[in-house]
Amino acid sequence: MSWLDEIKWDEKGLVPVIAQDQESGRILMFAYANREAVALTAEKNTAHYWTRSRQKLWHKGEESGHFQKVSAIQFDCDGDVLIYQIEQVGGIACHTGRPSCFFRTLIDGEWVITDAVLKDPTQIYASKP
Amino acid sequence: MSWLDEIKWDEKGLVPVIAQDQESGRILMFAYANREAVALTAEKNTAHYWTRSRQKLWHKGEESGHFQKVSAIQFDCDGDVLIYQIEQVGGIACHTGRPSCFFRTLIDGEWVITDAVLKDPTQIYASKP
């Protein structure tokens, strides 16, 4: 039996994945992966996901250049969630140009932005000549 | 508008929550919360979830004593995932008696247990006299 068979895929064939900075421990991203994405991640040591909005395999960084080098994959007690331990190329995981997608914190009953934009998203996703 | 209205609840009225140790940065648990659970967490600074298996509000620690003191709640760019920054009472988040639910790591194509049990689960959940 493959290690992939031990993962409890949801009714859509997906598993939630948390991407965590292997050095700082910061949680950078949360996304979903299908079987092919997880297999490719383990084989190539670069994070792959399944994008639910675009309904396709997503090699993180393929458009932005912000690839994620994967040093370890962890698995929870229920077998239905993964962690990718990563090094974030370019230091930007979020499509808003911030280090992490978790850049808002609840302060006095309001979501306050607690992280600066490091790079303008229009620059990140500018089409290459 | 309440900060709770900004959360994108899924079709079951739930949001995924990652519980992270506020000191070490270790990811301890992954679960779901409904609106009531998130509101109670923010109000009482102790983690509440919605248990999908038992279909009820779950004040983490109510049976085990392993409560989670919440120092911050973070929110992602898409507005559909939360992080609870926590102090784990008793140092055990997992029902298996381990510090974290993520105690397995993929090594050479196998899930290897990389964390010891700190307390026998039968002791954790022993019925009180």
Side-chain angles (χ1 to χ4, degrees):
Chain A
M1 188 162 104
S2 161
W3 58 276
L4 286 163
D5 295 325
E6 295 183 58
I7 298 173
K8 284 184 203 153
W9 308 94
D10 70 14
E11 65 282 3
K12 292 171 185 155
L14 303 177
V15 67
V17 180
I18 305 161
Q20 181 173 35
D21 186 297
Q22 68 194 34
E23 288 293 324
S24 69
R26 184 155 187 199
I27 297 170
L28 302 184
M29 225 177 81
F30 175 89
Y32 292 84
N34 64 356
R35 188 179 173 104
E36 183 185 7
V38 176
L40 283 169
T41 299
E43 185 190 332
K44 299 180 183 289
N45 300 313
T46 172
H48 290 71
Y49 302 95
W50 174 262
T51 154
R52 296 186 302 170
S53 56
R54 288 178 284 153
Q55 286 285 309
K56 67 185 194 83
L57 186 75
W58 169 30
H59 181 196
K60 167 73 179 168
E62 61 195 358
E63 288 183 39
S64 61
H66 296 150
F67 295 98
Q68 297 177 333
K69 297 180 191 172
V70 177
S71 60
I73 302 178
Q74 295 165 307
F75 193 39
D76 79 330
C77 52
D78 294 329
D80 57 6
V81 186
L82 300 179
I83 299 173
Y84 292 169
Q85 292 291 346
I86 67 163
E87 178 192 334
Q88 178 61 61
V89 173
I92 295 174
C94 186
H95 75 287
T96 64
R98 294 181 174 86
S100 163
C101 294
F102 294 89
F103 58 79
R104 292 184 284 182
T105 304
L106 186 66
I107 299 175
D108 296 335
E110 285 186 14
W111 294 113
V112 177
I113 293 176
T114 43
D115 261 308
V117 170
L118 299 184
K119 189 171 179 181
D120 184 336
T122 62
Q123 293 300 312
I124 298 175
Y125 297 98
S127 49
K128 309 282 188 308
Chain B
M1 187 164 107
S2 161
W3 59 276
L4 287 162
D5 295 325
E6 296 183 57
I7 298 172
K8 284 184 204 153
W9 308 94
D10 71 13
E11 66 282 2
K12 291 171 185 154
L14 303 178
V15 66
V17 180
I18 305 161
Q20 182 174 33
D21 185 298
Q22 67 193 35
E23 287 295 324
S24 69
R26 183 153 189 200
I27 297 170
L28 302 184
M29 226 177 81
F30 174 90
Y32 293 84
N34 65 355
R35 187 179 173 106
E36 184 186 6
V38 176
L40 282 169
T41 299
E43 185 190 332
K44 299 179 183 291
N45 300 313
T46 172
H48 291 71
Y49 303 94
W50 175 262
T51 154
R52 297 186 303 169
S53 56
R54 288 178 284 152
Q55 287 284 308
K56 67 185 195 80
L57 186 74
W58 169 31
H59 181 196
K60 167 72 179 171
E62 61 195 359
E63 288 185 37
S64 62
H66 296 149
F67 295 98
Q68 298 176 333
K69 296 180 190 171
V70 177
S71 59
I73 301 178
Q74 295 166 308
F75 194 39
D76 79 328
C77 52
D78 294 328
D80 57 6
V81 185
L82 300 178
I83 299 173
Y84 292 168
Q85 292 290 346
I86 67 163
E87 177 192 333
Q88 177 62 61
V89 173
I92 295 174
C94 186
H95 75 286
T96 64
R98 294 181 174 86
S100 164
C101 294
F102 294 89
F103 58 80
R104 291 185 285 183
T105 304
L106 186 65
I107 299 175
D108 296 335
E110 286 186 15
W111 294 113
V112 177
I113 292 176
T114 43
D115 262 309
V117 171
L118 299 184
K119 189 171 178 181
D120 184 335
T122 61
Q123 293 301 311
I124 298 175
Y125 298 99
S127 50
K128 309 282 188 310

